[in-house]
Amino acid sequence: MTTRRGVTGQLEIACNVTRQVPLIADLVNMATSQRRGGVPTPCPRDADLVAAFAAAAGDRAGTDLRDDPAAGAQLAELAGELRAALLAEHAADQAARINAMIRRYRAQPYLVEDVGQPFHLHFHGQGGTRVQAMGGEFATALALIVDGYGTGRFGQCAADRCDAIYIDLTRNGSRRYCGAACTARAKTAAYRGRRRG
Ligand SMILES: [Zn+2]
C-alpha cells in the first residue's frame, strides 16, 4: 500500500484515498442522513442533490454532474450502497458489499500524473458517467481502508439525534462523531450529565 504524503495525525494511506474520504462522507450524509447535528435534515433529491454534491465535488466533477440528467438518481443509489457498506454489522457482509461495488462500478486501477504531483494510483469506475467513475474510486477507497486498518474505521455518529456517518482516519482510531459540531454537542451533554450526577 502507498504510504507517502501522510497528513499529520492521520493514517498513512494512499493520498487518493485521503482525497476521496471527505467526498464519500459528504455524499452519504447529504443523501441518506435524516438527522444531522441534532436537527432533522431532509435529504435533497435529484437536481437538488446534484447541486449540493457538485459544490462539494469541485469544478471539473461538479460540471460533469450538473450536465448529466441521470446524475441525481445515480448519486442517491451510490449513497445508499455506500451507507449499507459503511454500517454493515459484520465484517464479511461489509467486505461483500464493498466487493459488489468494486465489481458493479468496474473499478480500474491506473497511474495518473497530475500537474505538480508524482504518479499516483486512481481507481475510476468504467461505466462512462461521472457517478460511475466515482463509484469505482469510492468503493476502492473503502477497500483500501479495510485492507490497511480493518473494519472498525466506519461508523454512525455517536452524538444524540444524528445519523450521519464518519470515516475514521485518525492514527489511534478514536473518532466517534461526524464532525466538530457533534463532538462539541456530545461534550456539552456529557458535562451536563456529570453535573446532574
Ligand atoms: Zn453527528
Side-chain angles (χ1 to χ4, degrees):
M1 176 169 32
T2 314
T3 57
R4 62 214 151 86
R5 293 191 297 279
V7 179
T8 312
Q10 282 201 345
L11 295 180
E12 293 193 351
I13 199 158
C15 63
N16 188 42
V17 173
T18 320
R19 275 202 296 267
Q20 305 301 332
V21 160
L23 280 180
I24 297 171
D26 276 349
L27 175 61
V28 172
N29 289 335
M30 271 174 204
T32 70
S33 297
Q34 312 277 348
R35 296 181 304 174
R36 278 180 273 165
V39 181
T41 315
C43 295
R45 287 277 164 240
D46 303 319
D48 291 340
L49 175 59
V50 173
F53 184 67
D59 290 344
R60 217 169 56 191
T63 304
D64 289 353
L65 290 169
R66 280 185 285 258
D67 288 348
D68 181 354
Q74 290 176 355
L75 280 174
E77 195 174 1
L78 174 57
E81 291 169 328
L82 288 165
R83 186 180 189 95
L86 288 164
L87 299 182
E89 217 167 298
H90 303 291
D93 181 33
Q94 182 163 69
R97 286 176 184 278
I98 294 171
N99 283 339
M101 292 181 70
I102 289 171
R103 279 196 304 276
R104 176 172 176 194
Y105 291 100
R106 289 186 281 144
Q108 171 78 47
Y110 65 101
L111 286 164
V112 182
E113 187 181 30
D114 286 334
V115 179
Q117 286 189 30
F119 279 104
H120 56 277
L121 205 51
H122 274 265
F123 295 91
H124 272 203
Q126 302 300 300
T129 71
R130 175 61 76 167
V131 176
Q132 285 159 339
M134 285 193 310
E137 293 276 18
F138 290 178
T140 310
L142 299 189
L144 286 170
I145 294 169
V146 171
D147 171 68
Y149 301 97
T151 54
R153 290 283 172 169
F154 315 125
Q156 183 166 313
C157 182
D160 183 38
R161 287 169 292 125
C162 183
D163 51 19
I165 61 91
Y166 63 83
I167 297 171
D168 185 1
L169 296 185
T170 60
R171 281 191 193 281
N172 57 1
S174 58
R175 188 160 178 179
R176 295 294 175 269
Y177 304 105
C178 66
C182 275
T183 306
R185 281 199 311 124
K187 272 189 185 153
T188 306
Y191 173 73
R192 287 196 183 126
R194 280 197 301 276
R195 293 224 336 180
R196 274 198 301 274

